[in-house]
Amino acid sequence: MEPQYISSMLGLLLAAFLTLSSATSPHDNFLRCLSLSSNHSSSIARVVFTPDNLSYSTILKSRIRNHRFCTTDTPKPFVIVTPLLTSDIQATIHCSRNHGLQLRIRSGGHDYEGLSFVSHVRFVLVDLINFRSVDVDVENRVAWVESGAILGELYYRIAEKNKTLAFPGGICHTVGIGGYMSGGGYGLLFRKYGLAADNVIDAQLIDVYGRILDRQSMGEEVFWAIRGGGGGSFGIVLSWKLKLVSVPPTGTLFTVRRTLEQNAINLIHKWQYVAPKMPHGMYFDVALSRVKSTRDGKKTVTSSFIAFYLGGTNELVPLMHERFPELGIRKKDCIEMSWIESIIYLGKIRNQPLEVLLDRDFQTPLTLPSYKSKSDYVKEPIPEIGLKGLWTRFSENEAEFGVIYFFSYGGIMDEIPESSTPFPHRAGNLYKIIYNVGWEEQDNINSDKYIDWIRRIYGYMGAYVSKSPREAYVNYRDLDIGTNSEGNTTSYARASVWGRKYFKNNFDKLVHVKTMIDPENFFRHEQSIPPLWKKQEAPEHEITKRDCIEMSWIESIIYRDQIRNQPLEVLLDRNFQSPPTLMSFKSNPTT
C-alpha cells in the first residue's frame, strides 16, 4: 500500500474518530477543528502535540533559551503545533480564534521574558522549527529566509556561496530569524548598514483572517510595522526577503581588557566621546564584568574593549593611535579574520568549524542558562563619578555573573530617520546599555535576589540615561517597564507606558496599524501593540415619535430609494433613473 495513501487514511481516521468520539474534552474539540480546517488532515495530525504526547515536553523545552521559564510552575501550552505547511498555520489561527485560545509564536526561543512560549491564559504554541529554509541569490544580493531559521543558518548559507557578502545581524547564532527581525535586530555591521530590519525588502505575513500577504498586498503601513514593531502583534511572518551587504574578505578584531587598577574608569569615560565618532565600518563596544585580579586573587571589575573593523590591521592600528591613544592598541592585539569568522569568535565558539552555525541546539556561552536583562540609551557622556558608582555595585554577591555592555552608536544610525521603521533609537544616542545577570538553572529558586540586583543597577543608572521617556530596546523585553492589562481590553493609555519607551512617537502609528490589521486584538501578549478601541458615543439626535413613519414593506422600498409619491408600478420601470442623492446620503435623523 502506498505511504501517501496510508498517511491520508490516518488523517481521515483521526478526523472520524474525533467526530464520533463521545469524549468532548477541550483538546478533542480543538484537534477536531484542526483536522476539519486543514487542507491536509494527514499533515496536521503529525504536527500537533498535547501534554499526554511523549514528545510534548521535549519539543517545549528544546527551544527555551532562558531557563527562568523552564520550571514546574511555568505555564505550559494547551497544545503545541509545529507546522509543516502554511495551511497548518492557517488552521491553527482559525481554530484558536474559534475556541478562545491565545497564540504564542516561537522561532528561536530567545524571548527575554518568555513571551514567545509562555502565557498565563490557555494558549497554543506555534513553533516554527519546520519553517527554516534559506535561499540565497548571490547575483541579486538578496536572500529569502523563513522565520524558523536561526541567524547561523543564514550566515552559513551566505558564506557557502560568497565570502564578501554578509547580513547585518547579531553574533548569537542560535537566535531565531522571526523574533530578531520583528524587533529591529543589530550586530557587528549596524553602524555601517543599519539594523537587520532596515535591510528587509519584502515579507510574507499570515494575518488574523488567514490571508497570506506580501509587501504589496499587506500595504506599506503593515510592512513598516512588522520591521521593528515587536513580534506577536500583527500576525505570523512566514518569511523575509533580505538585502545582502558587501564586506571585505578580511576584517580586523581586537579584545583588550583593563581593570580598575589599570585606569579602566578613565578609559571608559574617554570611550564615550571616541566610539560614536569612529568610521562607519567599525563596531566598538565595552563589557563590564567581575573577575579575580591577577595580582592578589581578589575580585575586581574588568572592562573588555571589543572592536571589529572592516579593514586590515595596518588601517586599524593607526586609526586607534590617532583617535584613542590612551587604550594603547598594538598590532599584536589585533587578529585578522573574515566577517563570518568574527561571528564565531565573538560568539565565544572559537576553534569550531563553520558548521557549528547550523547547530540550533548549541548552548551559547554568552549567557548563563537563566537570566534577566534590561536596557537603556545614553545621550550624554556619563561623568567619571557616575561610572565609579556603577563599579561599586559589582562588589555585591549577586553580581558574580553580572555583565553590563555599552554598544556604541553613531555611523549610519545617525542618518536614518526615527520614523523609517518602528525602531526609533537613531540620531542623538551615544550608545546603548544592556544589563544582564545570570545564574544556573538549579538556582532558579533564588532568582529574586539576582533580579533585585539588576533592578538596583537600573535604578542607579536612571540619572545618567535617556529620560521622558526612558528608552528601551524591544528585543530585550523587560516587563518591569509596564505591561498590558489581563484579558483583551488593554487601554491605549496603559500600553503607552511601555510602548513609548520602546517606540517613542512611533507607538501611535503602530496602534493605528494594529487597529487596521487585527482590530479584535487576537494576536496579543503582555507587551503586544493594542488596537484603538472604539468608544460608544451618545447619539447626536434623540429619536422621537414625530421622526417615525409607519408604512408597509413595499412602501419602504419606494421611500428608501427616494422615489416617493409614485405608484407601485414604478418598480416595473427598468429605465427609471435613480435620483443622484443615492450617491451622497445626507446626515439627518431619517437616514
Side-chain angles (χ1 to χ4, degrees), residues 252-258 262 282 284 305 307 312-322 324-336:
T252 304
L253 185 149
F254 69 72
T255 300
V256 296
R257 294 175 176 84
R258 302 289 186 264
Q262 295 172 315
M282 186 168 179
F284 199 5
F305 293 83
T313 302
N314 291 336
E315 299 173 46
L316 178 58
V317 172
L319 175 68
M320 293 301 297
H321 287 173
E322 177 189 348
F324 200 179
E326 297 87 346
L327 192 57
I329 294 297
R330 299 163 296 178
K331 192 170 184 178
K332 69 177 185 178
D333 296 317
C334 302
I335 307 172
E336 291 189 347

Side-chain angles (χ1 to χ4, degrees), residues 106-126:
R106 183 168 72 178
S107 56
H110 283 268
D111 191 295
Y112 279 30
E113 293 283 13
L115 301 187
S116 66
F117 53 87
V118 176
S119 175
H120 293 280
V121 299
R122 199 165 63 164
F123 71 104
V124 175
L125 172 59
V126 176

Side-chain angles (χ1 to χ4, degrees), residues 281-437:
M282 186 168 179
Y283 168 91
F284 199 5
D285 72 23
V286 181
L288 312 180
S289 59
R290 193 169 80 182
V291 296
K292 288 184 179 179
S293 172
T294 55
R295 295 180 180 178
D296 52 18
K298 293 182 179 179
K299 292 175 181 177
T300 186
V301 179
T302 186
S303 304
S304 299
F305 293 83
I306 304 163
F308 179 70
Y309 178 70
L310 294 175
T313 302
N314 291 336
E315 299 173 46
L316 178 58
V317 172
L319 175 68
M320 293 301 297
H321 287 173
E322 177 189 348
R323 304 280 186 93
F324 200 179
E326 297 87 346
L327 192 57
I329 294 297
R330 299 163 296 178
K331 192 170 184 178
K332 69 177 185 178
D333 296 317
C334 302
I335 307 172
E336 291 189 347
M337 61 182 69
S338 66
W339 165 76
I340 193 72
E341 290 169 335
S342 74
I343 295 292
I344 292 177
Y345 187 92
L346 292 175
K348 298 184 178 180
I349 46 178
R350 301 161 196 174
N351 304 316
Q352 296 284 339
L354 285 184
E355 284 71 22
V356 72
L357 296 174
L358 301 175
D359 184 359
R360 42 190 314 129
D361 296 320
F362 185 85
Q363 295 300 309
T364 177
L366 294 172
T367 60
L368 286 174
S370 299
Y371 60 89
K372 167 68 178 176
S373 295
K374 301 176 79 67
S375 62
D376 262 321
Y377 286 86
V378 178
K379 300 181 183 297
E380 298 290 340
I382 299 174
E384 289 188 25
I385 190 171
L387 294 173
K388 288 177 182 177
L390 184 60
W391 240 253
T392 62
R393 268 98 181 141
F394 274 96
S395 64
E396 300 173 20
N397 291 335
E398 297 83 5
E400 182 177 2
F401 300 112
V403 185
I404 298 177
Y405 298 95
F406 294 176
F407 295 100
S408 66
Y409 265 52
I412 199 172
M413 293 296 285
D414 282 347
E415 302 168 15
I416 302 173
E418 281 191 3
S419 60
S420 62
T421 70
F423 180 97
H425 316 291
R426 308 282 188 170
N429 290 295
L430 298 177
Y431 56 96
K432 172 172 59 184
I433 301 180
I434 304 301
Y435 315 90
N436 182 278
V437 63

Side-chain angles (χ1 to χ4, degrees), residues 151-169:
L151 287 175
E153 290 171 318
L154 170 62
Y155 298 159
Y156 183 86
R157 297 306 173 197
I158 295 172
E160 187 178 44
K161 292 191 173 185
N162 190 293
K163 295 297 191 293
T164 58
L165 285 180
F167 184 74

